[in-house]
Amino acid sequence: MGGWVSEVRDVGRHLRFIVLRTWDKKIQLTLKRGVAPDELFDVTDNLTQETVLVAYGEPAPEKKARAVDLEIIPERIEVVSRAEPKLPLDPNWKVPALLPTRLDNRPLDLRRPEVQAIFKITASLIRGMIDWLDEHGFLMVFTPAIIGGASESGAEVFRVDYFGKEAFLRQDPQLHRQLTILGGFERIYDLGPNWRAEPSHTTRHITEFRSLAVEMAFISDETDVMRVEEQVVVSGIKRVLEERSRDLELLGVELEVPQTPFPELRFPQIYDILAEFGKEIPYGSDYDTESEGLLWRYVREKYGSDFFFVNRFPFEAKPFYVMKAEPPWARSVDLLYKGLELSSGGQREHRYEVLLEQIREKGLKEESMEWFTKFFRYGAPPHGGFAIGIERLVKQMLDLKNIREASLFPRDPERVLP
RNA sequence: GCCCGGGUGGUGUAGCCAGGCUAGCAUAGGAGCCUGUCGAGCUCCAGACCCGGGUUCAAAUCCCGGCCCGGGCGCCA
């Protein structure tokens, strides 16, 4: 078996314990002088923490070590890769490192079982979500990440030199998901990366994140989308509970399957709720970050839920492609989890003439969006969908302080390495 | 983008406001002791004030500039 040296303890001259860390257990190698060959003591003299060993041997007849999963009496030990003595952070966490130090030295940080737990949980979460989608007739597709046409809203995008032409990294798979629907695929999902060139300095933004983006045709209205979205989330959380109870315990997280349907708040009633908390938002305007926290408090007290939808956002706050409801509102839905926006979605506008009108209303040039809009001339079903930010979902589910902890190698305005 | 805060051994911190003895502690590292440890214990050793300028008899400490980082807001997932 192979692993990283977590600890070496000499107890007297005749006994040495070496604790190895593997990705799923702790193993103690026990060396007794007189029992173990002297050469095993020789090769393990001056072992440094985090050195990689491969050991061969049999389990001890009686496991006396309590704090490990396995106790081995080694017959042979190979020092595969000796770690330098001064580590940039301590994976044993005797001295906790700060987040920037952790991220600068992420491969060492990732050795901690608590950190690995985050990504094991993420894998189960995603598996649970996409299994539900597969079981309900959704097809996994991959839409492009490099987009040649103008961006959907003029929000900050990364520019790419595409053989001398200008292209952009997608902020969202939104437009191509819709075009895939126009391609006759009635239920799809796309799991992939998105990029935002926003120089945001917060604990809930990174410049590269992944989303699970779902789109479905022949919906009655945006509530069909909400019913799918909550089932996807519930299915993911159920899977985490089934497969990762030990990892949840390691992180000290108590997780429950949320009740469905999730509570739904709508504009303009939102303004009245916020007013109860003394928060005045001008009628017809979007709410701010503080409001998200206030609405969560409201929903928790009234419905006891950590999840809730917000529906009927002001059209002026949303992109051109959303479908309008009674003016000035739109069939545009956000899902919030513990007061943080997890996803945006809703019903899309599929009527060509209306779509063009909305593009003009947003002050965009019709020509710039023609690569997208022209296909709505040839038969477009009513449709809608949503995109859930994976890292945000994980952050909220595990009560992580910073979204960067939910990303293996996070990218933010100051960090593109390692 | 706007605003606020912070950079002390490898890591994490005390000291800064009220400038002044060999910059304290923990952990990791080196040397040694201890026959089963339980993030073991004990003794000793080595290791640091982000960069530049200024004020002062004296600067980690006060002032200015720079660099780097963190956070809040905006915007969003």
Side-chain angles (χ1 to χ4, degrees):
Chain A
M1 61 218 58
W4 285 261
V5 172
S6 157
E7 205 175 348
V8 181
R9 283 192 298 267
D10 281 336
V11 182
R13 201 172 299 165
H14 306 289
L15 200 54
R16 173 172 292 166
F17 302 113
I18 301 166
V19 179
L20 287 188
R21 185 182 56 245
T22 74
W23 83 329
D24 58 0
K25 54 175 80 76
K26 275 187 169 181
I27 300 170
Q28 176 173 283
L29 307 178
T30 300
L31 283 71
K32 266 186 199 169
R33 211 174 275 281
V35 178
D38 281 352
E39 64 185 64
L40 289 194
F41 279 88
D42 297 340
V43 297
T44 57
D45 272 341
N46 308 312
L47 270 188
T48 49
Q49 194 186 317
E50 299 307 316
T51 287
V52 173
L53 295 185
V54 177
Y56 304 86
E58 296 297 324
E62 181 193 3
K63 181 165 98 74
K64 294 183 188 170
R66 268 178 281 154
V68 298
D69 302 299
L70 199 59
E71 184 172 350
I72 297 287
I73 309 297
E75 290 152 12
R76 191 153 68 86
I77 295 176
E78 282 173 27
V79 176
V80 174
S81 168
R82 185 175 189 276
E84 289 185 15
K86 295 205 170 178
L87 299 169
L89 60 78
D90 174 17
N92 284 340
W93 220 234
K94 286 183 185 174
V95 178
L98 300 175
L99 188 58
T101 306
R102 292 175 51 196
L103 298 179
D104 287 344
N105 302 282
R106 192 59 157 164
L108 275 89
D109 184 49
L110 292 172
R111 291 179 193 174
R112 294 168 50 216
E114 294 83 356
V115 179
Q116 294 194 351
I118 294 169
F119 298 97
K120 293 174 181 175
I121 288 168
T122 301
S124 293
L125 176 75
I126 292 173
R127 180 70 63 193
M129 293 195 292
I130 66 179
D131 278 357
W132 189 94
L133 289 164
D134 287 332
E135 285 159 16
H136 290 79
F138 288 81
L139 186 75
M140 179 191 271
V141 298
F142 300 101
T143 60
I146 301 175
I147 301 176
S151 168
E152 63 186 63
S153 64
E156 296 299 323
V157 289
F158 287 106
R159 290 162 193 278
V160 177
D161 178 358
Y162 198 78
F163 303 113
K165 288 186 217 158
E166 192 175 50
F168 311 94
L169 295 181
R170 74 181 187 191
Q171 309 165 274
D172 191 283
Q174 169 69 26
L175 300 179
H176 286 88
R177 249 184 303 153
Q178 291 191 244
L179 293 183
T180 307
I181 291 286
L182 297 198
F185 290 92
E186 295 181 22
R187 298 186 143 207
I188 55 162
Y189 66 93
D190 181 337
L191 180 62
N194 307 293
W195 294 270
R196 302 280 164 91
E198 295 283 347
S200 300
H201 295 99
T202 79
T203 56
R204 57 186 189 281
H205 290 91
I206 42 183
T207 52
E208 176 179 302
F209 64 96
R210 313 196 99 77
S211 67
L212 177 61
V214 174
E215 203 72 26
M216 50 200 279
F218 299 110
I219 57 171
S220 316
D221 59 29
E222 74 278 14
T223 58
D224 287 351
V225 173
M226 292 156 65
R227 298 291 81 81
V228 167
E229 181 166 15
E230 66 200 8
Q231 289 308 318
V232 167
V233 169
V234 164
S235 177
I237 289 176
K238 276 185 181 163
R239 187 67 61 92
V240 169
L241 286 166
E242 284 164 23
E243 296 180 347
R244 301 297 176 190
S245 57
R246 193 177 158 183
D247 293 304
L248 288 170
E249 198 179 322
L250 204 53
L251 293 168
V253 173
E254 288 181 27
L255 189 62
E256 286 177 5
V257 178
Q259 298 286 319
T260 54
F262 295 164
E264 176 187 352
L265 306 179
R266 288 190 175 196
F267 282 87
Q269 288 78 14
I270 293 270
Y271 301 123
D272 300 330
I273 296 168
L274 289 173
E276 285 176 33
F277 290 93
K279 180 88 185 176
E280 297 294 337
I281 302 281
Y283 191 89
S285 299
D286 197 2
Y287 56 59
D288 57 14
T289 303
E290 188 192 9
S291 303
E292 292 179 334
L294 297 175
L295 293 175
W296 179 38
R297 269 172 61 189
Y298 172 82
V299 168
R300 218 171 24 167
E301 283 164 26
K302 186 159 182 193
Y303 304 101
S305 175
D306 284 334
F307 287 94
F308 63 96
F309 289 110
V310 173
N311 193 0
R312 303 295 165 94
F313 276 88
F315 177 76
E316 69 161 40
K318 292 291 174 180
F320 73 89
Y321 53 76
V322 305
M323 180 176 275
K324 287 182 176 178
E326 306 74 46
W329 319 114
R331 300 186 179 279
S332 184
V333 181
D334 280 8
L335 175 62
L336 285 84
Y337 183 17
K338 297 178 183 171
L340 180 66
E341 182 182 343
L342 277 194
S343 85
S344 281
Q347 182 163 8
R348 325 299 187 186
E349 181 50 69
H350 62 281
R351 295 162 295 184
Y352 179 64
E353 292 303 332
V354 181
L355 198 56
L356 291 188
E357 199 179 299
Q358 293 187 177
I359 284 175
R360 287 191 291 268
E361 189 180 340
K362 290 286 176 187
L364 299 171
K365 286 186 180 149
E366 277 177 51
E367 312 86 76
S368 72
M369 294 310 304
E370 198 203 351
W371 67 271
F372 172 71
T373 55
K374 67 179 178 188
F375 301 107
F376 287 76
R377 288 152 54 194
Y378 309 116
H383 62 287
F386 59 90
I388 299 183
I390 300 295
E391 291 87 348
R392 281 196 172 182
L393 174 53
V394 171
K395 170 185 183 286
Q396 295 305 87
M397 186 171 76
L398 303 180
D399 294 318
L400 304 177
K401 287 202 182 85
N402 195 308
I403 194 168
R404 280 157 249 231
E405 295 186 67
S407 175
L408 257 191
F409 294 99
R411 271 75 182 95
D412 65 36
E414 355 285 338
R415 175 176 281 107
V416 279
L417 290 171

